[in-house]
Amino acid sequence: MNKLMIICIATVVMMSCTSQQKAEPEKPLAQQLEERLLSLQSKGYMAGHQDDPFYGIGWAYEDGKSDVKLTVGDYPAVMGFELGGIEMGDAKNLDSVPFTRIHDELLAHVKRGGVVTVSWHPRNPMTTMPHGGLDGQQWPEGSAWDVSDSTVVKNVLPGGRKAELFQTWIARVGDFLESLKDENDQPVPIIFRPWHENNGSWFWWGQKLCTDEEFKALWNLLQDYLNERGFDNLLWSYSPNLDGGWTTERFLQRYPGNDRVTLIGEDAYQWGTEEEFVEAVNSDLTFLTQFAKDNGKLLAMTECGLKNIPDSTWFSRVLKPQMDKYPISYFLLWRNYEKEWFGPVPGTPCGDDYAKAFKEAENVMFLNDIAK
Ligand code: BMA
């Protein structure tokens, strides 16, 4: 054997060792996302927007368009998508966005390096009709906001009158999530945020609509079902609503458990005065920061905003200073729907204020700041 052959054999042996080392199973996608979010936090927090690529103020369904992009020249780092209606097998969600479009835009955002989060406002399984909303139902009858009956959660649990129907609903959620595959036919990481605002009583899974045990059983039913289907790409997020007075005891009453949640946060809108909002947000984020730290959880402002932004300095004066104080991973402004908008409106004073507050800030990340 000459020297060259020995070198060749040695190289092949070394290479096969290295490839064996590399053959270790990949970490679950949700864990990879968790680690990415943790590492991004060293630079600050991400800007997010619900339904960002679908429509904005004065436009709808124009490829590549986004009110955040029109305002600051870049997409938000985080985009939120909504599944309400998928449970019925509807072609469009409750906000009239075609599911095919949700599918494509969610994947497009992941492909460009963005982070995605998914919420679900399912109809009321006790009162909804086959074509929910279209058979003469009066809003909110039959919707997620139909709180006319406080036995809904109990009835979707095993043994309940709607248990079987509910199984078909969560199966459709599973099917849609399963369809979210990249061009290599691989699943993509998703922050999944079901049963939100559960400390309020405006959804059928809310505080006064079910017991703590029923709520937890509802959470577990959906989570266990999706886990059994093998999803390892869902990073589970628990987000009640702005409260203003969390105590550990009360927060734990409906908290699904450390083994079931990776990210905690809350939905915080300024519906009343600025002073009340600022006080409640600070009280809650102080509590949530400590809880997240003690329990090894990520923290985010999972929804927020001031409806129609009547104060054009709100982003810089009210929102940004509060977000700066806490170790949040992101904040997600709700959708820019013609009749009700929460994100920046391009070419207006609130848009300029948003750009000045967030785009020019060192500690706030948009897509290009996080894309690999
Ligand atoms: C709410 C509003 C509704 C919408 C729902 C789900 O807060 O924006 O108009 O249907 O979220 O996206």
Side-chain angles (χ1 to χ4, degrees):
M1 215 185 296
N2 68 26
K3 218 170 164 186
L4 185 65
M5 275 179 77
I6 292 172
I7 291 171
C8 284
I9 292 166
T11 311
V12 169
V13 170
M14 270 165 59
M15 276 171 66
S16 77
C17 285
T18 325
S19 69
Q20 263 170 23
Q21 278 163 5
K22 273 199 186 143
E24 265 184 37
E26 285 247 331
K27 286 179 189 165
L29 282 173
Q31 191 185 334
Q32 292 182 36
L33 176 58
E34 180 186 4
E35 289 172 8
R36 182 179 183 211
L37 296 182
L38 273 170
S39 113
L40 283 170
Q41 256 184 274
S42 61
K43 296 197 251 166
Y45 57 89
M46 295 181 280
H49 191 211
Q50 179 72 8
D51 273 4
D52 185 74
F54 303 129
Y55 51 83
I57 304 305
W59 63 274
Y61 304 105
E62 292 179 41
D63 285 345
K65 217 162 173 175
S66 139
D67 271 356
V68 170
K69 192 169 182 210
L70 287 168
T71 305
V72 305
D74 194 3
Y75 289 111
V78 180
M79 285 189 187
F81 300 92
E82 165 60 33
L83 295 190
I86 199 73
E87 69 280 358
M88 308 293 290
D90 289 351
K92 292 179 177 179
N93 80 358
L94 77 168
D95 300 324
S96 303
V97 186
F99 281 108
T100 49
R101 192 100 194 186
I102 297 178
H103 173 276
D104 294 354
E105 291 292 352
L106 184 149
L107 291 173
H109 196 55
V110 172
K111 189 172 179 195
R112 54 172 94 96
V115 171
V116 295
T117 174
V118 165
S119 56
W120 182 34
H121 291 75
R123 295 221 180 84
N124 181 319
M126 295 292 281
T127 55
T128 202
M129 294 177 190
H131 305 290
L134 305 175
D135 274 348
Q137 276 177 284
Q138 293 300 305
W139 183 264
E141 189 191 347
S143 73
W145 290 264
D146 184 342
V147 289
S148 58
D149 182 323
S150 61
T151 64
V152 184
V153 175
K154 189 187 160 116
N155 271 309
V156 300
L157 297 174
R161 279 165 43 210
K162 297 290 173 183
E164 232 171 272
L165 172 73
F166 197 65
Q167 283 300 322
T168 66
W169 284 19
I170 61 178
R172 288 187 181 124
V173 170
D175 292 347
F176 183 74
L177 292 173
E178 202 168 280
S179 78
L180 297 168
K181 301 252 175 75
D182 66 14
E183 70 255 32
N184 301 317
D185 207 28
Q186 295 305 307
V188 298
I190 295 168
I191 300 172
F192 188 49
R193 194 174 68 88
W195 314 131
H196 61 305
E197 300 177 10
N198 66 325
N199 54 330
S201 295
W202 46 85
F203 293 133
W204 57 257
W205 56 90
Q207 184 76 37
K208 293 190 185 139
L209 287 302
C210 58
T211 65
D212 298 343
E213 287 64 39
E214 284 165 356
F215 176 80
K216 286 185 190 175
L218 176 71
W219 179 284
N220 295 352
L221 180 72
L222 176 63
Q223 189 170 40
D224 291 346
Y225 169 76
L226 293 175
N227 285 346
E228 271 157 35
R229 277 184 66 162
F231 289 99
D232 80 344
N233 57 325
L234 304 178
L235 187 155
W236 289 77
S237 162
Y238 176 70
S239 72
N241 196 64
L242 181 68
D243 184 276
W246 286 120
T247 60
T248 307
E249 195 195 0
R250 224 158 46 71
F251 188 77
L252 284 176
Q253 276 169 5
R254 293 191 177 208
Y255 180 62
N258 276 342
D259 52 342
R260 291 183 170 275
V261 171
T262 304
L263 183 151
I264 60 162
E266 66 175 27
D267 295 359
Y269 292 90
Q270 182 184 313
W271 297 120
T273 69
E274 182 180 313
E275 292 69 31
E276 282 161 4
F277 174 73
V278 168
E279 195 186 320
V281 162
N282 281 291
S283 162
D284 284 10
L285 283 176
T286 302
F287 171 82
L288 292 170
T289 296
Q290 192 59 45
F291 188 91
K293 192 166 166 243
D294 293 345
N295 294 279
K297 302 298 162 200
L298 288 158
L299 175 68
M301 188 94 280
T302 46
E303 284 184 29
C304 58
L306 169 64
K307 184 176 159 178
N308 300 357
I309 323 161
D311 169 1
S312 65
T313 63
W314 191 78
F315 289 125
S316 63
R317 213 172 41 72
V318 182
L319 188 61
K320 171 108 186 341
Q322 316 318 318
M323 300 300 95
D324 281 350
K325 286 188 234 170
Y326 303 95
I328 55 166
S329 170
Y330 66 89
F331 71 96
L332 183 96
L333 289 165
W334 203 242
R335 65 199 191 110
N336 274 15
Y337 164 50
E338 292 287 349
K339 294 184 184 152
E340 197 182 83
W341 62 91
F342 299 88
V345 182
T348 67
C350 86
D352 297 344
D353 182 60
Y354 176 95
K356 208 162 152 257
F358 294 117
K359 190 68 176 84
E360 288 175 20
E362 286 281 305
N363 65 330
V364 183
M365 293 171 275
F366 288 80
L367 177 74
N368 286 327
D369 302 311
I370 69 158
K372 285 166 228 132

